[in-house]
C-alpha cells in the first residue's frame, strides 16, 4: 500500500496570502495525484487531478505541481472560503490511499 | 445533476454486520463506466476507500477490509449497497457513497455516521 504523507498538519495563513501544502508518496505515483478540499460536515470536493489539472469550476488561485513522489498544492491568495482541510490522494495503485490531511486555518 | 443518498442504521453492535444503501438519482448505476464506491472517514481522521462496484458488476475491495466487505448493486432500484461484517469500534466512521470517474470521486453523498457500540 502506498502511504501518503502530508505536511504540515496545520498551516496558519492570513487572508490574501499564499498557502503551500505538501504531499509525499512512499513510492512513485507518476502524476496520478489528486487534491480535495473538505469543510466541516461536508463531503470532500475534488480540486486538482493529474497532479496539476483543475477540476471543473475550481478557481485559478488553486494550482498543483509535482510528479513521482513529491507534490504541492498552492493557493495563491487565500479567500475566507478556502480555510478547510485539504487531502491528497494517489490513484496510481490499488488500494487508493489518501493523506491524513492539512488543516488550513486563519492566522 | 447526479445525487447520492446513504441510508441505514446509525448504530451497530460489535461483531454484527453494518449494512448501508446508497440511492442514486439523476444518473444510472448501470450506465457509463463509473466506479460506484464506498469511502469512510473515522471521526477527526482521514479518508479510506473501502471498495467499489463497476457498472458491469465487478468489484474491488481494499485488502485491509476484503475479508469483511461485500458491495452489491440493485439496478432495478438504482441503488448499491455495502455490508461490513464483524464490526468493531474501529469501524465507527462517517460512511460516504460516491460515484468515481475511474478513481476520482466527482459526486458524493452527504455521508452517514455509523457508530459501533453495545
Amino acid at each position: 500500500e502506498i502511504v501518503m504523507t502530508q505536511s504540515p498538519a496545520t498551516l496558519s495563513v492570513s487572508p490574501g496570502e499564499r498557502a503551500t501544502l505538501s504531499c509525499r508518496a512512499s513510492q512513485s505515483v507518476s502524476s496520478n495525484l489528486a487534491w480535495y478540499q473538505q469543510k466541516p460536515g461536508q463531503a470532500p470536493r475534488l480540486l486538482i487531478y493529474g497532479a496539476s489539472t483543475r477540476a471543473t469550476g475550481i478557481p485559478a488561485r488553486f494550482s498543483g505541481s509535482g510528479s513521482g513522489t513529491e507534490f504541492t498544492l498552492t493557493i495563491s491568495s487565500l479567500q475566507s472560503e478556502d480555510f478547510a482541510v485539504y487531502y491528497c490522494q494517489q490513484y496510481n495503485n490499488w488500494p487508493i490511499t489518501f493523506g491524513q490531511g492539512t488543516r488550513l486555518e486563519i492566522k | 445533476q447526479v445525487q447520492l443518498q446513504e441510508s441505514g442504521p446509525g448504530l451497530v453492535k460489535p461483531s454484527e454486520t453494518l449494512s448501508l444503501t446508497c440511492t442514486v438519482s439523476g444518473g444510472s448505476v448501470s450506465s457509463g463506466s463509473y466506479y460506484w464506491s464506498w469511502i469512510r472517514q473515522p471521526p477527526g481522521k482521514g479518508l479510506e476507500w473501502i471498495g467499489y462496484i463497476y457498472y458491469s458488476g465487478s468489484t474491488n475491495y481494499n485488502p485491509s477490509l476484503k475479508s469483511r466487505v461485500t458491495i452489491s448493486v440493485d439496478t432495478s432500484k438504482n441503488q448499491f449497497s455495502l455490508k461490513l461484517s464483524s464490526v468493531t469500534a474501529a469501524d465507527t466512521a462517517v460512511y460516504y457513497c460516491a460515484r468515481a470517474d475511474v478513481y476520482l470521486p466527482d459526486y458524493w453523498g452527504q455521508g452517514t455516521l455509523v457508530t459501533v457500540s453495545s
Side-chain angles (χ1 to χ4, degrees):
Chain A
E1 171 175 312
I2 297 176
V3 176
M4 307 301 292
T5 303
Q6 292 186 242
S7 61
T10 303
L11 182 62
S12 299
V13 183
S14 299
E17 294 189 340
R18 173 190 297 255
T20 302
L21 289 68
S22 296
C23 176
R24 173 178 292 176
S26 61
Q27 65 188 74
S28 177
V29 298
S30 186
S31 293
N32 296 314
L33 190 285
W35 291 93
Y36 296 81
Q37 176 194 69
Q38 187 177 34
K39 296 181 179 180
Q42 296 183 16
R45 177 175 71 143
L46 178 65
L47 299 175
I48 301 282
Y49 63 94
S52 62
T53 302
R54 281 189 302 277
T56 302
I58 302 303
R61 65 180 181 272
F62 291 90
S63 62
S65 63
S67 66
T69 62
E70 300 284 343
F71 301 90
T72 300
L73 174 69
T74 301
I75 310 170
S76 60
S77 178
L78 280 163
Q79 307 296 304
S80 57
E81 61 267 29
D82 299 335
F83 292 95
V85 179
Y86 292 82
Y87 294 96
C88 62
Q89 172 214 6
Q90 68 80 20
Y91 53 99
N92 195 64
N93 288 56
W94 184 261
I96 307 307
T97 49
F98 296 84
Q100 285 304 104
T102 290
R103 181 178 304 278
L104 183 56
E105 63 177 30
I106 301 174
K107 187 175 182 179
Chain B
Q1 177 82 345
V2 177
Q3 294 185 322
L4 298 93
Q5 178 68 57
E6 305 89 353
S7 59
L11 181 63
V12 181
K13 290 183 168 56
S15 79
E16 296 189 344
T17 296
L18 178 161
S19 296
L20 295 174
T21 296
C22 182
T23 301
V24 179
S25 58
S28 172
V29 296
S30 56
S31 67
S33 54
Y34 298 110
Y35 293 179
W36 300 96
S37 300
W38 289 97
I39 297 167
R40 71 180 182 178
Q41 185 171 35
K45 296 188 178 181
L47 299 154
E48 179 179 36
W49 200 310
I50 299 168
Y52 63 83
I53 187 163
Y54 194 45
Y55 79 103
S56 64
S58 63
T59 55
N60 200 6
Y61 303 136
N62 191 317
S64 68
L65 299 168
K66 188 173 183 177
S67 63
R68 300 193 290 131
V69 172
T70 303
I71 297 176
S72 59
V73 66
D74 185 338
T75 55
S76 67
K77 294 181 179 179
N78 213 30
Q79 296 175 333
F80 61 105
S81 298
L82 168 71
K83 291 189 185 298
L84 181 66
S85 64
S86 305
V87 297
T88 69
D91 295 309
T92 293
V94 174
Y95 285 76
Y96 294 100
C97 60
R99 187 190 84 167
D101 188 350
V102 190
Y103 295 126
L104 296 171
D106 52 2
Y107 291 98
W108 299 66
Q110 65 184 25
T112 187
L113 174 63
V114 179
T115 301
V116 178
S117 175
S118 56

